[in-house]
Amino acid sequence: MERNMSLIFLVWLVWLNGCFLLEVDGLNAESSKRNRVELPLRSASDLGTFGYFVSMRIGIPPKKYLMKLSTCTVLTWIRCRNECKNCSDTRFYRPNESRTYRSIPCSSSFCTSDLIPSNVNEVCPKPDAPCRYDHLLEDGTRLAGTIGNDTVTIRMRGNQKVRLENIPIGCTEEITSKFNELDGQLGLGVEYQSFAGKALRQTNTTSFAYCLVDSWSPINVSGYLVFGRVDQVPNMQETDLLVGHWTWSTSYHLNVSGISVDGIMLDIPSDVWLYDPNGRTGGMVLDTGSPLSWLAAPAYDKLIQAFLPSISQFPKPKDNQSIALQHCFDSTTGYNETLMPKLAIHFGNGAKFEPLVKSYVIGDDVKCLGFVRLDGVPTSNIGSFLQQNHLWEFDLFNEKVRFAPSTCTSD
């Protein structure tokens, strides 16, 4: 498995550096904007769930689907009914109704090696049988189905349309949890067969970016997902993006050096921030698929200890309905964001990410610290709550991630 993953990322890096090496020097602001594909990115709060989604049309004739954004997932999938006849739910993806859908054989190298991050089912009853996957998401949801290529049509800002061809789509016929609000998930993970990899190749660019509006924004307020360079904004910082040969992982790992609260660095063991590619442990990733931020126990314990003096001045809630969040308080009397400590995540090159207080002290009348404790030596993450109201740009050619505060609503 590890050898195959290494080969996958070697191909990815050769592809990035090979396909674009001759073009990067010639790219300027005008050509970069010309190649840029930008589509609205919205909070799903009005739909009764967390996360962010884009709207896209899949197949020919095209049908509209709402897709949740995930930077830790390679597989792009949709709730599906293969060979469905007389189905009443029009939101299901039906590959047999698309003229451009092409099944991927289980005997193909695409199925046996390229899609390893998606936990491809190794059973191949005959060479032309469909490639099957059995995939486990971060929240424990299990997905199973078949994979094929189809056409994706994106309506950008200004109603211009862009068509991407031969995009791998998972037809998910089995799902172990409710996923009724959105139709599927858009995989932006670090893999050249992910939607991000395909979109970058077909738009002839080497970077993508997203800007997350406030997580409680109504559906008519949108941020954006961009394939191509974005315009520079004030207070832009950058740090190393640990991808490819650094991790052999499909997630976007960051070069974290520590966490501070009110300017004081917490005494967290440095190995918490080191990713071990062999054991797939440690480190920190950017994860839009998870609203909460998950921290390894040594980091979580020190962070809570630093916040307790501030949150303990408020009464505990009479009824805390949160299962995942343990440190909550009643904020109906005397609460003000200025009473909360300032959190910062520090990176190895000196860059510093300072999220808004509302991004880590979350809730209405009952507020909680938006962090979850992970035992062992897991990979920590920066969830979508922490990332909101910021622009994040992933420069895969230079292996950098850039970020800056933003309302995300400007054109």
Side-chain angles (χ1 to χ4, degrees):
M1 174 71 78
E2 291 176 7
R3 181 181 178 185
N4 285 333
M5 285 294 292
S6 300
L7 290 174
I8 287 171
F9 278 95
L10 284 173
V11 171
W12 168 286
L13 291 173
V14 168
W15 166 67
L16 279 176
N17 289 277
C19 287
F20 296 108
L21 184 59
L22 296 179
E23 302 181 28
V24 169
D25 290 338
L27 284 177
N28 52 41
E30 183 178 351
S31 64
S32 182
K33 287 184 178 180
R34 185 171 61 248
N35 292 338
R36 189 168 70 185
V37 173
E38 179 179 338
L39 58 159
L41 177 62
R42 296 180 168 87
S43 166
S45 62
D46 272 1
L47 302 179
T49 189
F50 294 113
Y52 295 82
F53 72 93
V54 295
S55 171
M56 57 179 53
R57 288 164 170 77
I58 299 175
I60 300 294
K63 292 187 177 180
K64 180 180 176 181
Y65 300 98
L66 306 181
M67 307 291 285
K68 182 179 180 179
L69 205 70
S70 176
T71 50
C72 284
T73 303
V74 167
L75 181 67
T76 292
W77 62 270
I78 315 175
R79 293 189 309 151
C80 177
R81 289 293 180 267
N82 214 349
E83 302 296 334
C84 182
K85 296 180 180 179
N86 301 319
C87 293
S88 58
D89 193 337
T90 58
R91 287 175 59 183
F92 281 110
Y93 173 55
R94 302 186 186 110
N96 60 307
E97 295 182 0
S98 172
R99 295 195 301 269
T100 52
Y101 179 82
R102 297 293 181 270
S103 177
I104 297 175
C106 60
S107 59
S108 65
S109 61
F110 184 96
C111 184
T112 58
S113 61
D114 293 352
L115 294 176
I116 282 177
S118 299
N119 301 322
V120 169
N121 192 325
E122 295 180 357
V123 176
C124 187
K126 55 181 181 178
D128 60 346
C131 178
R132 300 195 63 84
Y133 60 90
D134 196 329
H135 190 57
L136 193 66
L137 299 181
E138 303 96 333
D139 62 1
T141 299
R142 177 178 167 269
L143 311 170
T146 58
I147 300 178
N149 288 326
D150 210 341
T151 299
V152 173
T153 304
I154 297 172
R155 186 186 295 274
M156 301 194 298
R157 295 189 176 197
N159 288 326
Q160 181 183 358
K161 293 181 181 179
V162 173
R163 181 170 290 178
L164 305 176
E165 298 178 343
N166 296 317
I167 302 296
I169 302 291
C171 168
T172 294
E173 298 182 278
E174 299 178 44
I175 183 169
T176 58
S177 66
K178 292 183 179 180
F179 203 90
N180 297 325
E181 299 86 0
L182 300 173
D183 302 315
Q185 191 158 263
L186 188 69
L188 298 181
V190 188
E191 214 279 336
Y192 69 101
Q193 296 292 3
S194 73
F195 185 86
K198 286 284 190 176
L200 290 176
R201 187 171 186 176
Q202 294 193 32
T203 56
N204 212 29
T205 55
T206 61
S207 63
F208 75 94
Y210 55 77
C211 204
L212 306 182
V213 294
D214 187 290
S215 59
W216 300 105
S217 296
I219 204 166
N220 64 331
V221 176
S222 67
Y224 48 88
L225 171 64
V226 174
F227 295 98
R229 289 300 304 272
V230 295
D231 296 330
Q232 292 296 302
V233 299
N235 303 313
M236 197 81 157
Q237 300 183 70
E238 75 171 26
T239 189
D240 293 332
L241 188 61
L242 307 183
V243 294
H245 59 284
W246 286 102
T247 65
W248 312 121
S249 168
T250 58
S251 298
Y252 297 94
H253 288 257
L254 302 173
N255 183 23
V256 175
S257 62
I259 294 177
S260 69
V261 174
D262 277 344
I264 300 174
M265 294 297 294
L266 302 181
D267 185 18
I268 301 171
S270 59
D271 59 359
V272 168
W273 311 122
L274 298 178
Y275 178 73
D276 178 6
N278 295 317
R280 306 287 176 86
T281 58
M284 177 174 276
V285 301
L286 286 164
D287 184 2
T288 59
S290 169
L292 300 176
S293 295
W294 301 69
L295 291 178
Y300 177 91
D301 294 343
K302 293 294 184 180
L303 182 67
I304 296 302
Q305 183 179 346
F307 270 87
L308 279 179
S310 297
I311 65 175
S312 61
Q313 62 184 305
F314 298 97
K316 292 185 178 180
K318 295 179 180 179
D319 182 19
N320 181 17
Q321 298 180 349
S322 174
I323 297 175
L325 303 178
Q326 302 300 315
H327 296 278
C328 304
F329 59 93
D330 186 334
S331 65
T332 55
T333 304
Y335 174 78
N336 189 292
E337 285 189 351
T338 60
L339 300 175
M340 293 294 107
K342 296 294 189 292
L343 172 72
I345 298 176
H346 300 255
F347 301 106
N349 67 330
K352 182 170 61 174
F353 168 50
E354 299 175 281
L356 300 173
V357 172
K358 69 175 182 179
S359 299
Y360 53 88
V361 183
I362 59 177
D364 295 319
D365 291 344
V366 174
K367 295 190 182 297
C368 303
L369 296 181
F371 300 93
V372 178
R373 187 180 193 271
L374 293 176
D375 293 321
V377 191
T379 298
S380 302
N381 79 334
I382 299 177
S384 62
F385 281 155
L386 271 188
Q387 294 183 56
Q388 67 183 343
N389 297 120
H390 277 75
L391 167 67
W392 299 89
E393 181 183 22
F394 301 78
D395 183 344
L396 300 181
F397 185 84
N398 294 303
E399 297 186 2
K400 300 289 184 182
V401 61
R402 302 182 183 94
F403 58 94
S406 175
T407 62
C408 301
T409 57
S410 59
D411 292 331

